[in-house]
Amino acid sequence: MSLTERIIRIIEVHGPISVAQFMSIALHDPMHGYYARRDPIGSSGDFTTAPEISQIFGELLGAWMLQVWREQDAPSPARLVELGPGHGTLMADVLRMAKLDPEFLSSIQITLVETSPRLRKAQAEKLKDAPVTVYWAERFDDTLTDRPLFLLANEFFDALPIRQFVQTEYGWCERMVGLDRERNLAFALAPSSRALDIPAGCGKPRAGDIYEASPISEAITGQIAAVIARHGGAALIVDYGYGANSGFGETLQAVAGHKFASVLQNPGEADLSSHVDFAALARTAENAGAKTYGPVAQGALLGELGIDIRAERLASANPEQADNIAAAVKRLRSPEQMGTLFKALAILPKGAARPPGFQ
Ligand code: SAH
């Protein structure tokens, strides 16, 4: 039975499901979910990510982590955790940098948080010569909360489920996925409205406005921030999304084969993602007792961290690659490409030094 048919039957039995439930099934169904079936990343996949564009991205983030770890008096033991590591490329590039500081390597235990068995395999292969044992976890759980936490997440939060609410004359009604008369998946509104705690900066909603919230993203961020506040450490979250208050508007999108697709058509075949609401994540982290910096634009952050110098060095060591390196740097930095839409948020303990790149 196709995933579409299974979702239709779930709705027939239980009634309409939330957009978040629909996303969870479409992305993570163990048999037919998108991440179970496909390798999404790279030219043969559906999208490309910064670590796959250039090794410099991971090296700069690695140097950032080393510096922040040193500034907090080199805590040992500590954890290095990555959420949603894809092909393991970012971690491999971080570890290349980390080899410059053997004390860091001997202090950390590495855990990759990944749901997809297929991507876990790719990560294990990429990291088979890693200088530190690599462990895996299905989610960020209590086993990761006992010591200083140094955490990276690139394009992880955009993949987490969101709920959508539509402003109607009765108030906010949740947008659900139900069935139309022809038994096709279709959006519908929940019959009763509910009060939402919307940040003042969003302005006054008008009829038809859509508000997106990702309770799961906030829960994970709160948990991470609480560990950092308590034991020390740092999180660097990079993703595409809003800087200030998100305001109203729909950002849920489906992408297949590097092109936009329909959200409800062929669940499991397309990647689903949405803009990350950095203001919401920052608020959650601060409420958990940590201090946040940014979000800053990815282009600006990479500039501050010295992308030009690294690119120059890499190009002079590999002159035949010079044009590719320049093109990759441009893609990561320029405002027309990933430089502005992508942003970075840092979470540190109160009282820790301001992290590099977040002036
Ligand atoms: N960080 C990588 C991959 C981004 S794709 C890169 O930049 O290339 C999103 C990643 O998050 C994939 O590895 C996917 O399997 C993982 N993922 C998505 N939802 C997840 C969840 N709920 N828990 C753990 N991992 C998840």
Side-chain angles (χ1 to χ4, degrees), residues 27-28 35 40-41 47-52 57 82-90 113-116 119 123 137-140 153-161 216 220 271:
L27 291 176
H28 298 294
Y35 282 113
I41 307 153
F47 56 90
T48 303
T49 57
E52 303 298 330
F57 181 79
E82 186 182 350
L83 306 180
H87 289 175
T89 308
L90 173 60
V113 176
E114 175 62 68
T115 41
S116 154
L119 287 175
Q123 292 151 20
E138 285 243 350
R139 59 185 68 86
F140 188 91
N154 184 64
E155 291 214 44
F156 170 75
F157 284 94
D158 68 33
L160 295 185
I216 179 76
I220 295 172
D271 179 49

Side-chain angles (χ1 to χ4, degrees), residues 115-180:
T115 41
S116 154
R118 190 180 178 137
L119 287 175
R120 281 183 182 210
K121 225 166 155 187
Q123 292 151 20
E125 177 60 27
K126 177 67 68 67
L127 295 166
K128 63 180 188 301
D129 300 321
V132 180
T133 313
V134 177
Y135 299 89
W136 276 266
E138 285 243 350
R139 59 185 68 86
F140 188 91
D141 60 21
D142 289 347
T143 62
L144 302 173
T145 59
D146 58 341
R147 57 186 82 160
L149 172 68
F150 295 84
L151 179 138
L152 289 166
N154 184 64
E155 291 214 44
F156 170 75
F157 284 94
D158 68 33
L160 295 185
I162 55 163
R163 295 175 71 173
Q164 292 184 323
F165 300 89
V166 181
Q167 176 72 24
T168 71
E169 56 182 309
Y170 311 108
W172 291 106
C173 292
E174 183 154 10
R175 196 181 197 196
M176 311 294 283
V177 178
L179 301 177
D180 66 12

